Amino acid sequence: MSSVAGEPAAPTVTNDYDDFAEAYAAETESNLLNGYYTRPAVLDLAGDVAGRRILDAGCGAGPLLEALRERGAIVSGFDASAKMLELAARRLGDGVPLVRADLAGPLPYPDDAFDDVVACLVLHYLEDWRAPLAELRRVLVPGGRLIVVVYHPFVYKLLYRDADYFGVTEFSEDYTFDGRPAVLTYWHRPLSAMTSAFTEAGFRIAVVSEPPAAPGAREMFPEVMEKIDNSPTGTFLSFLFFVLEAA
Ligand SMILES: C[S@@+](CC[C@H](N)C(=O)[O-])C[C@H]1O[C@@H](n2cnc3c(N)ncnc32)[C@H](O)[C@@H]1O
């Protein structure tokens, strides 16, 4: 088994992934939002990763770690949820260092340890991005990349018409993962607050991406895709993707 090391973190999040780890992992393994949109887009943005040392921050059950490793990357991951890490260890087998750690606190890695960090669908759980981004910058080599995926701030305003777009606001959404109800609590912030946080933490914004669903999505999920075609945006818009370069 992969090693799951580190002192038990005291996560600052209200989202209890321990409670619905198996259900979340099963639901998102090959669904539209994760399997046919987020993960393919992250892998596209990452490009050729052969030989690169990559940290997955908030790695969950490890699907991205597995895909990056298949492409030749040397991968490590951390997560606040012990159950998600157990699933990742089961998936990845030997040789992938997995650590229980909180993105809101100090990270258990030396300076300049990684060529890339992926923070996929995790930063939006944190109110204050300053310390987390400083830590992610610290563990990256100069010139290294941070790939971020977060809840799209415009989608928040589309869904919550009365909300203050320019505020930093906590909001919760109900989900059903593999038949199991769950509540996730996010922090909305406007696009300008995201870009300021990135540049203040020492990152240069290299790419901002709003990708379409991956090829094959239309065949796999015809009804949902038709609904999306007929929606006000007429296209798939859910998350916002960044590639940042460590200055
Ligand atoms: C939406 S899942 C995404 C998992 C994975 N990145 C993926 O794309 O499949 C969010 C993950 O972030 C983890 N997480 C949430 N808050 C965290 C924090 N403060 N520090 C570390 N991990 C956190 C959760 O335990 C969960 O595994």
Side-chain angles (χ1 to χ4, degrees):
M1 293 287 281
S2 292
S3 52
V4 179
E7 288 301 306
T12 53
V13 287
T14 51
N15 306 302
D16 190 1
Y17 273 83
D18 276 347
D19 195 42
F20 47 78
E22 299 256 6
Y24 178 86
E27 174 79 27
T28 56
E29 187 64 30
S30 50
N31 65 346
L32 174 59
L33 205 57
N34 302 80
Y36 282 80
Y37 169 62
T38 309
R39 283 201 293 278
V42 167
L43 294 171
D44 270 2
L45 289 170
D48 180 3
V49 293
R52 292 180 78 84
R53 297 161 301 163
I54 303 186
L55 175 66
D56 189 345
C59 62
L64 270 171
L65 286 171
E66 186 176 38
L68 291 165
R69 184 176 64 175
E70 276 166 17
R71 288 161 175 74
I74 303 146
V75 295
S76 301
F78 76 88
D79 200 283
S81 158
K83 287 262 169 61
M84 293 301 268
L85 287 170
E86 265 175 47
L87 297 177
R90 207 182 297 163
R91 172 198 292 269
L92 295 162
D94 287 332
V96 176
L98 298 170
V99 178
R100 189 166 183 219
D102 185 349
L103 179 55
L107 298 180
Y109 306 103
D111 296 357
D112 300 348
F114 298 101
D115 300 305
D116 299 311
V117 175
V118 176
C120 181
L121 304 177
V122 61
L123 266 173
H124 50 207
Y125 297 132
L126 301 180
E127 179 181 7
D128 189 341
W129 285 11
R130 283 172 298 183
L133 287 175
E135 272 298 88
L136 297 179
R137 170 68 193 82
R138 180 185 68 74
V139 303
L140 273 169
V141 291
R145 302 175 304 173
L146 171 60
I147 299 177
V148 171
V149 185
V150 286
Y151 199 110
H152 200 305
F154 298 169
V155 171
Y156 169 79
K157 186 59 181 166
L158 275 176
L159 292 179
Y160 305 100
R161 295 291 166 123
D162 297 333
D164 172 14
Y165 173 76
F166 291 103
V168 177
T169 311
E170 194 175 29
F171 67 104
S172 294
E173 290 185 342
D174 295 324
Y175 292 87
T176 304
F177 296 131
D178 204 31
R180 204 192 151 131
V183 179
L184 292 179
T185 299
Y186 302 90
W187 284 91
H188 160 79
R189 74 200 65 229
L191 179 58
S192 53
M194 294 185 186
T195 55
S196 303
F198 295 146
T199 52
E200 281 163 19
F203 290 101
R204 193 180 73 78
I205 299 167
V207 179
V208 179
S209 177
E210 293 169 313
R218 197 161 288 282
E219 291 70 40
M220 286 293 290
F221 309 97
E223 283 168 25
V224 189
M225 293 304 288
E226 196 185 321
K227 261 196 205 155
I228 291 167
D229 289 342
N230 296 324
S231 72
T233 57
T235 185
F236 206 94
L237 186 67
S238 188
F239 301 138
L240 188 55
F241 297 67
F242 297 92
V243 180
L244 311 168
E245 283 173 8

